[in-house]
Amino acid sequence: METSTIREKLPAPVDISHHFSRTTKNRTQSSIKDFYKYFAIPGIGNLAGGLPNASFFPYDTLEASVALPQRFTPTPNEPIGPPDALPAESARSSSNTPQSARVVVPKASGTTDVLRKIDITSALQYGTAQGYPPLYSFLRQFTREHLHPNVSYAGGPEIILTC
């Protein structure tokens, strides 16, 4: 049976809103957020906080050299003594395999899919409270599929990004 079918048959999460303070219960969404959809239209000036103009960003690309998974050899689970006493087979067998890869993040991405859009222009915006959409989407999916796949209520677990 598919995971999404199983989750649909689960009960809704327990409502704990009766534990919220009066201040929390009286909070409303900012009406400024209703205007965010207009800020994507070319020529519209945006003076709202959290959405700086991308032309002012001092970067054209971000580049990094990232380690590939095969770069690291796991140590055995049994204690075998000091690091120099590791077995010879744990040493890297092939020195010609690449140890890292180069990643380049462009200033602007051509995709319109917000969950797949990885660029500097999107990443440096700090107006959305939920966080960077591709990161949020990945972490939410990872949490639901790998960390907490057996949550016993409909919709599964949610995540909150903080820094």
Side-chain angles (χ1 to χ4, degrees):
M1 192 178 271
E2 196 174 304
T3 306
S4 61
T5 308
I6 294 170
R7 289 220 170 128
E8 291 171 4
K9 296 179 181 178
L10 296 172
V14 176
D15 181 13
I16 59 168
S17 61
H18 59 278
H19 291 289
F20 295 167
S21 68
R22 279 180 292 216
T23 304
T24 300
K25 289 178 182 179
N26 290 327
R27 289 186 182 183
T28 59
Q29 181 176 345
S30 169
S31 58
I32 297 293
K33 296 204 183 246
D34 294 337
F35 295 110
Y36 280 14
K37 61 186 170 192
Y38 299 112
F39 298 150
I41 300 172
I44 297 289
N46 175 13
L47 301 176
L51 297 169
N53 189 323
S55 64
F56 295 127
F57 295 154
Y59 309 105
D60 291 326
T61 60
L62 292 178
E63 299 180 30
S65 180
V66 295
L68 296 173
Q70 65 268 19
R71 179 175 175 177
F72 304 101
T73 303
T75 56
N77 288 335
E78 306 84 33
I80 56 172
D84 57 301
L86 287 174
E89 64 269 8
S90 72
R92 183 64 48 209
S93 60
S94 175
S95 62
N96 60 358
T97 58
Q99 301 294 309
S100 62
R102 184 171 171 250
V103 175
V104 177
V105 179
K107 186 166 191 169
S109 174
T111 184
T112 57
D113 181 5
V114 90
L115 297 180
R116 302 243 181 251
K117 188 173 187 175
I118 299 176
D119 60 9
I120 298 172
T121 302
S122 302
L124 295 181
Q125 301 296 332
Y126 53 94
T128 148
Q130 194 173 40
Y132 185 48
L135 176 63
Y136 176 81
S137 175
F138 168 77
L139 291 174
R140 186 172 184 238
Q141 179 182 356
F142 184 82
T143 301
R144 288 179 174 203
E145 293 176 4
H146 300 288
L147 299 179
H148 301 288
N150 300 320
V151 170
S152 60
Y153 56 83
E158 269 304 333
I159 64 166
I160 297 175
L161 301 180
T162 62
C163 56

